[in-house]
Coordinates of all heavy atoms in Angstrom, one line a residue:
M205 N 81.1 80.9 86.8 CA 81.1 82.1 87.6 C 81.8 83.2 86.8 O 81.4 84.4 86.8 CB 81.7 81.9 88.9 CG 81.0 81.0 89.9 SD 79.5 81.8 90.5 CE 79.1 80.6 91.8
T206 N 82.9 82.9 86.2 CA 83.7 83.9 85.5 C 82.9 84.5 84.3 O 82.9 85.7 84.1 CB 85.0 83.3 84.9 OG1 85.8 83.0 86.0 CG2 85.7 84.3 84.0
A207 N 82.1 83.6 83.6 CA 81.3 84.1 82.5 C 80.2 85.0 83.1 O 79.9 86.1 82.5 CB 80.6 82.9 81.8
L208 N 79.7 84.7 84.3 CA 78.7 85.6 84.9 C 79.3 86.9 85.3 O 78.7 88.0 85.1 CB 78.0 84.9 86.1 CG 77.2 83.6 85.8 CD1 76.8 82.9 87.1 CD2 76.0 83.9 84.9
T209 N 80.5 86.8 85.9 CA 81.1 88.1 86.3 C 81.4 89.0 85.2 O 81.2 90.2 85.2 CB 82.5 87.7 87.0 OG1 82.2 87.1 88.3 CG2 83.3 88.9 87.2
L210 N 81.9 88.5 84.1 CA 82.2 89.3 82.9 C 81.0 89.9 82.3 O 80.9 91.0 81.9 CB 83.0 88.4 81.8 CG 84.4 88.0 82.3 CD1 84.9 87.0 81.2 CD2 85.3 89.1 82.5
A211 N 79.9 89.1 82.2 CA 78.7 89.5 81.6 C 78.0 90.6 82.4 O 77.6 91.6 81.9 CB 77.7 88.4 81.4
L212 N 78.0 90.4 83.8 CA 77.3 91.4 84.6 C 78.1 92.6 84.8 O 77.6 93.7 85.1 CB 77.1 90.7 86.0 CG 76.1 91.4 86.9 CD1 74.7 91.5 86.3 CD2 76.0 90.7 88.3
S213 N 79.4 92.6 84.5 CA 80.3 93.7 84.6 C 80.4 94.5 83.3 O 81.0 95.5 83.2 CB 81.7 93.3 85.0 OG 81.7 92.7 86.3
G214 N 79.7 94.0 82.2 CA 79.8 94.6 80.9 C 81.1 94.5 80.2 O 81.5 95.4 79.4
A215 N 81.9 93.5 80.6 CA 83.2 93.3 80.0 C 83.2 92.4 78.8 O 82.2 91.7 78.6 CB 84.2 92.8 81.1
Q216 N 84.3 92.4 78.1 CA 84.4 91.5 76.9 C 84.5 90.0 77.4 O 84.9 89.7 78.5 CB 85.7 91.8 76.1 CG 87.0 91.5 76.9 CD 88.2 91.4 76.0 OE1 88.2 90.7 75.0 NE2 89.2 92.3 76.3
D217 N 84.0 89.1 76.5 CA 84.0 87.7 76.9 C 85.5 87.2 76.9 O 86.4 87.8 76.2 CB 83.3 86.9 75.8 CG 81.8 87.2 75.8 OD1 81.3 87.6 76.9 OD2 81.1 87.0 74.8
A218 N 85.7 86.1 77.7 CA 87.0 85.5 77.7 C 86.9 84.1 77.1 O 85.8 83.5 77.0 CB 87.5 85.4 79.1
D219 N 88.0 83.6 76.6 CA 88.0 82.2 76.1 C 88.2 81.3 77.4 O 89.3 81.2 78.0 CB 89.2 82.0 75.2 CG 89.4 80.6 74.7 OD1 88.5 79.7 75.0 OD2 90.4 80.4 73.9
L220 N 87.1 80.6 77.8 CA 87.1 79.8 79.0 C 87.4 78.4 78.8 O 86.7 77.8 77.9 CB 85.7 80.0 79.7 CG 85.3 81.4 80.0 CD1 83.9 81.4 80.6 CD2 86.3 82.2 80.9
R221 N 88.4 77.8 79.5 CA 88.8 76.5 79.2 C 89.0 75.7 80.5 O 89.6 76.2 81.5 CB 90.2 76.5 78.5 CG 90.2 77.2 77.2 CD 91.5 77.1 76.5 NE 91.7 78.0 75.4 CZ 92.7 78.2 74.6 NH1 93.8 77.4 74.9 NH2 92.8 79.0 73.6
E222 N 88.4 74.5 80.5 CA 88.5 73.6 81.7 C 89.8 72.8 81.7 O 90.2 72.2 80.7 CB 87.3 72.7 81.8 CG 87.2 71.9 83.0 CD 86.0 71.0 83.1 OE1 85.1 71.2 82.3 OE2 86.0 70.0 83.9
G223 N 90.4 72.8 82.9 CA 91.6 72.0 83.1 C 92.5 72.6 84.1 O 92.4 73.7 84.5
S224 N 93.5 71.8 84.5 CA 94.4 72.2 85.6 C 95.6 73.0 85.0 O 96.3 72.6 84.1 CB 94.9 71.0 86.3 OG 95.9 71.4 87.3
L225 N 95.7 74.2 85.5 CA 96.9 75.1 85.1 C 97.1 75.2 83.6 O 96.2 75.6 82.9 CB 98.1 74.6 85.9 CG 98.0 74.5 87.4 CD1 99.3 74.0 88.0 CD2 97.6 75.9 88.0
Y226 N 98.2 74.7 83.1 CA 98.5 74.9 81.7 C 97.9 73.7 80.8 O 98.1 73.8 79.6 CB 100.0 74.9 81.4 CG 100.6 76.3 81.8 CD1 101.5 76.4 82.9 CD2 100.4 77.4 81.1 CE1 102.1 77.6 83.3 CE2 100.9 78.6 81.4 CZ 101.8 78.7 82.5 OH 102.3 79.9 82.9
E227 N 97.3 72.8 81.4 CA 96.7 71.6 80.6 C 95.9 72.1 79.4 O 96.0 71.6 78.3 CB 96.0 70.7 81.5 CG 96.9 69.8 82.4 CD 96.0 68.9 83.3 OE1 94.8 68.9 83.1 OE2 96.6 68.2 84.1
P228 N 95.0 73.1 79.6 CA 94.1 73.5 78.5 C 94.8 74.4 77.5 O 94.1 74.8 76.5 CB 92.9 74.2 79.2 CG 93.2 74.1 80.7 CD 94.6 73.8 80.9
V229 N 96.0 74.8 77.7 CA 96.7 75.7 76.8 C 97.4 74.9 75.7 O 98.2 73.9 76.0 CB 97.7 76.5 77.6 CG1 98.5 77.5 76.7 CG2 97.0 77.4 78.7
H230 N 97.2 75.3 74.5 CA 97.8 74.5 73.4 C 99.3 74.8 73.3 O 99.8 75.8 73.8 CB 97.2 74.9 72.0 CG 95.7 74.8 72.0 ND1 94.8 75.7 71.4 CD2 94.9 73.8 72.6 CE1 93.6 75.3 71.6 NE2 93.6 74.2 72.3
D231 N 100.1 73.8 72.8 CA 101.5 73.9 72.8 C 102.1 75.1 72.1 O 103.1 75.6 72.4 CB 102.1 72.6 72.1 CG 101.9 71.4 73.0 OD1 101.6 71.6 74.2 OD2 102.0 70.3 72.4
D232 N 101.3 75.6 71.1 CA 101.9 76.7 70.3 C 101.3 78.1 70.8 O 101.6 79.1 70.1 CB 101.5 76.5 68.8 CG 100.0 76.5 68.6 OD1 99.2 76.3 69.6 OD2 99.5 76.6 67.4
E233 N 100.7 78.1 71.9 CA 100.1 79.4 72.4 C 101.0 80.0 73.4 O 101.5 79.4 74.3 CB 98.8 79.1 73.1 CG 97.6 78.8 72.1 CD 96.3 78.6 72.8 OE1 96.3 77.8 73.8 OE2 95.3 79.2 72.4
T234 N 101.3 81.3 73.2 CA 102.1 82.1 74.1 C 101.4 83.4 74.4 O 100.5 83.8 73.7 CB 103.5 82.4 73.5 OG1 103.4 83.1 72.3 CG2 104.3 81.1 73.3
Y235 N 101.8 84.0 75.5 CA 101.1 85.2 76.0 C 102.0 86.3 76.4 O 103.2 86.1 76.7 CB 100.2 84.7 77.2 CG 99.2 83.7 76.9 CD1 99.5 82.3 76.9 CD2 97.9 84.1 76.5 CE1 98.6 81.4 76.6 CE2 97.0 83.1 76.2 CZ 97.3 81.8 76.2 OH 96.4 80.8 75.9
D236 N 101.5 87.5 76.4 CA 102.2 88.7 76.9 C 102.0 88.9 78.4 O 102.8 89.6 79.0 CB 101.7 89.9 76.1 CG 101.7 89.7 74.6 OD1 102.8 89.5 74.1 OD2 100.6 89.8 74.0
L237 N 101.0 88.3 78.9 CA 100.7 88.5 80.4 C 100.1 87.2 80.9 O 99.1 86.6 80.3 CB 99.7 89.6 80.6 CG 99.2 89.8 82.1 CD1 100.4 90.2 83.0 CD2 98.1 90.8 82.2
I238 N 100.6 86.7 82.0 CA 100.0 85.5 82.6 C 99.9 85.8 84.1 O 100.8 86.4 84.7 CB 101.0 84.3 82.5 CG1 101.1 83.9 81.0 CG2 100.4 83.1 83.3 CD1 102.1 82.8 80.7
V239 N 98.7 85.6 84.6 CA 98.5 85.8 86.1 C 97.8 84.6 86.7 O 97.1 83.9 86.0 CB 97.5 87.1 86.3 CG1 98.2 88.3 85.9 CG2 96.2 86.9 85.6
S240 N 98.1 84.4 88.0 CA 97.5 83.2 88.6 C 97.5 83.4 90.2 O 98.5 83.8 90.8 CB 98.2 81.9 88.3 OG 97.6 80.8 88.9
N241 N 96.3 83.3 90.7 CA 96.2 83.1 92.2 C 95.8 81.7 92.4 O 94.6 81.3 92.5 CB 95.1 84.1 92.7 CG 94.8 83.9 94.2 OD1 95.7 83.3 94.9 ND2 93.7 84.4 94.7
P242 N 96.8 80.8 92.3 CA 96.6 79.3 92.2 C 96.1 78.8 93.6 O 96.2 79.4 94.6 CB 97.9 78.8 91.8 CG 98.9 79.7 92.5 CD 98.3 81.1 92.4
P243 N 95.7 77.5 93.6 CA 95.4 76.8 94.9 C 96.7 76.5 95.6 O 97.2 75.4 95.5 CB 94.6 75.6 94.5 CG 95.0 75.3 93.1 CD 95.3 76.7 92.4
F244 N 97.3 77.5 96.3 CA 98.7 77.4 96.7 C 98.8 76.8 98.1 O 99.9 76.6 98.6 CB 99.4 78.7 96.7 CG 98.7 79.8 97.4 CD1 98.5 79.8 98.7 CD2 98.2 80.9 96.7 CE1 97.8 80.9 99.4 CE2 97.5 82.0 97.3 CZ 97.3 81.9 98.7
V245 N 97.7 76.5 98.8 CA 97.8 76.1 100.2 C 98.5 74.7 100.3 O 98.2 73.8 99.6 CB 96.4 76.0 100.8 CG1 96.5 75.5 102.3 CG2 95.8 77.4 100.8
I246 N 99.5 74.7 101.2 CA 100.3 73.4 101.4 C 99.5 72.6 102.4 O 99.5 72.9 103.6 CB 101.7 73.7 101.9 CG1 102.4 74.6 100.8 CG2 102.5 72.5 102.2 CD1 103.7 75.1 101.3
S247 N 98.8 71.6 102.0 CA 97.9 70.9 102.8 C 98.0 69.4 102.6 O 98.5 68.9 101.6 CB 96.5 71.3 102.5 OG 96.1 71.0 101.2
P248 N 97.5 68.6 103.6 CA 97.4 67.1 103.4 C 96.2 66.8 102.6 O 95.1 66.7 103.2 CB 97.3 66.6 104.9 CG 96.7 67.7 105.6 CD 97.0 69.0 105.0
G249 N 96.3 66.6 101.4 CA 95.2 66.2 100.5 C 94.7 67.4 99.7 O 95.2 68.5 99.8
A250 N 93.6 67.1 99.0 CA 93.0 68.2 98.1 C 91.5 68.3 98.4 O 90.7 68.0 97.6 CB 93.3 67.9 96.7
R251 N 91.1 68.7 99.6 CA 89.7 68.7 100.0 C 88.9 69.8 99.4 O 87.8 69.7 99.0 CB 89.7 68.8 101.6 CG 88.3 68.6 102.2 CD 88.4 68.2 103.6 NE 89.1 69.2 104.4 CZ 88.6 70.1 105.2 NH1 87.2 70.1 105.3 NH2 89.3 70.9 105.9
L252 N 89.5 71.0 99.3 CA 88.8 72.2 98.8 C 89.5 72.7 97.5 O 90.6 73.1 97.5 CB 88.8 73.3 99.8 CG 88.1 72.9 101.1 CD1 88.2 74.1 102.2 CD2 86.6 72.7 100.9
T253 N 88.8 72.6 96.4 CA 89.3 72.9 95.1 C 89.9 74.3 95.0 O 90.9 74.5 94.4 CB 88.2 72.7 94.0 OG1 87.7 71.4 94.1 CG2 88.8 73.0 92.6

Side-chain angles (χ1 to χ4, degrees):
M205 290 289 191
T206 294
L208 296 173
T209 289
L210 295 173
L212 198 58
S213 297
Q216 66 164 304
D217 292 337
D219 180 2
L220 305 178
R221 303 182 189 179
E222 183 179 346
S224 177
L225 303 178
Y226 284 111
E227 285 178 5
V229 178
H230 305 143
D231 290 342
D232 60 347
E233 288 181 310
T234 55
Y235 298 87
D236 308 298
L237 174 67
I238 298 173
V239 293
S240 184
N241 178 17
F244 54 64
V245 178
I246 300 170
S247 61
R251 189 159 59 102
L252 298 174
T253 304

